[in-house]
Amino acid sequence: MNLFSCLVYPKINVFLKIVGKSEGYHLLNSRLCLVRGLHDVLCVKSAPKFSLKGDFDCPLAQNTLYKAWWLLKERLKPALRSRVEGLQIEVQKQIPAGGGLGGGSADAGVFLREVNRHLDLGLDLEQLYQIGAQVGADVNFFISGFSSANVSHFGQIVQDFKEEPLEVKLSTPPLKCVTAKVYQAFKTPTAFNPAWASKTSPELLKAYTAQELNDLYTPALSLYPALKEHAKSLDQNYLWFFSGSGSSFFGLKGGA
């Protein structure tokens, strides 16, 4: 039986500032925005046993959707656990892996939010966030359902930011950036200007460069020189920026 089917949209980082390190992880301040024009399709059905189908590029144990399902199952009381033990999860992937668009986190976050609602699991937002924080840094943003948010700490603290939906053009070159390597290449924490948290995304994008907004842009360029060539080929009618640890660029209309 089909339980639900929904579109899953990716995110971009309008800014990403790395302000320190704790417990071996980088501390950050960032603005995440959902973007349309590209999506995965998530379908969840009841089934005799659990299965996960999709064009994934990692082992099952490392898959964010599998982690989300497993942690959710372990969190539930036995009376509710049986509701999620028999699920068939299928994803039609369009959000590219290694593109800085949060595709895996998006699938996991939307799954947690929607399965909680459709199966009447009774978890509140904070309980969902506790699970999401164990799955991955961006998962809580996708659980939230916000279209724009300021995130902090390891990325799991999410604050809604009210603004008009951001319309951008995406461009992802045919290469995957390894997030861990890009973060490791970043050496010196930077100061975060708290005024950025109250500025709209278009205001920020029109006032600062890609390097100023995203601390991971320079290390990504050093690790993946092909990104420089791709940047040169981008439509100059747009102002171009870099999402997360890459490899995707996003453009705001209004370039040269």
Side-chain angles (χ1 to χ4, degrees):
M1 181 180 71
N2 187 55
L3 295 175
F4 64 89
S5 179
C6 57
L7 303 183
V8 177
Y9 296 101
K11 61 81 181 171
I12 55 169
N13 299 76
V14 172
F15 62 80
L16 195 167
K17 306 302 288 184
I18 300 172
V19 297
K21 208 169 184 181
S22 177
E23 303 171 24
Y25 295 95
H26 291 87
L27 299 168
L28 56 85
N29 288 92
S30 188
R31 167 79 52 78
L32 301 185
C33 295
L34 290 182
V35 291
R36 302 299 200 253
L38 177 70
H39 60 259
D40 290 348
V41 180
L42 174 66
C43 300
V44 178
K45 301 177 182 179
S46 59
K49 63 179 182 179
F50 174 80
S51 65
L52 177 60
K53 301 178 180 179
D55 185 16
F56 304 114
D57 64 346
C58 64
L60 181 65
Q62 296 175 18
N63 186 285
T64 53
L65 262 172
Y66 178 77
K67 290 180 182 179
W69 170 78
W70 178 264
L71 290 166
L72 174 65
K73 180 170 66 78
E74 294 301 297
R75 177 67 180 259
L76 295 173
K77 296 177 181 179
L80 293 173
R81 193 173 299 163
S82 61
R83 298 186 187 182
V84 302
E85 286 180 332
L87 289 181
Q88 177 184 303
I89 306 171
E90 184 172 357
V91 184
Q92 298 172 30
K93 293 291 296 179
Q94 293 186 32
I95 304 172
L101 300 175
S105 296
D107 294 335
V110 172
F111 166 76
L112 287 170
R113 185 183 74 225
E114 294 301 315
V115 80
N116 179 59
R117 182 166 69 91
H118 285 275
L119 292 182
D120 297 318
L121 301 179
L123 299 178
D124 61 28
L125 185 60
E126 185 56 38
Q127 290 172 313
L128 289 173
Y129 279 170
Q130 290 172 5
I131 297 171
Q134 296 179 70
V135 179
D138 294 332
V139 174
N140 284 2
F141 170 66
F142 294 102
I143 290 173
S144 74
F146 300 147
S147 60
S148 181
N150 292 322
V151 303
S152 58
H153 204 240
F154 301 135
Q156 82 277 31
I157 298 174
V158 183
Q159 295 178 303
D160 189 15
F161 185 80
K162 301 293 186 183
E163 63 177 342
E164 291 296 315
L166 192 62
E167 294 186 12
V168 298
K169 183 177 183 178
L170 294 175
S171 181
T172 305
L175 71 89
K176 299 178 182 179
C177 290
V178 180
T179 298
K181 289 184 177 180
V182 177
Y183 270 94
Q184 288 166 7
F186 178 82
K187 301 302 181 185
T188 307
T190 58
F192 174 64
N193 182 350
W196 284 17
S198 59
K199 291 183 179 293
T200 68
S201 295
E203 285 177 326
L204 290 162
L205 295 172
K206 291 175 182 177
Y208 298 94
T209 66
Q211 287 88 348
E212 290 170 323
L213 289 169
N214 189 341
D215 284 347
L216 296 180
Y217 188 34
T218 297
L221 290 178
S222 68
L223 287 172
Y224 303 96
L227 290 174
K228 297 178 183 178
E229 296 306 312
H230 185 76
K232 293 176 183 177
S233 70
L234 294 169
D235 185 346
Q236 294 305 299
N237 292 310
Y238 289 79
L239 299 168
W240 289 96
F241 304 90
F242 195 66
S243 184
S245 58
S247 59
S248 292
F249 292 80
F250 62 94
L252 183 72
K253 189 73 173 177

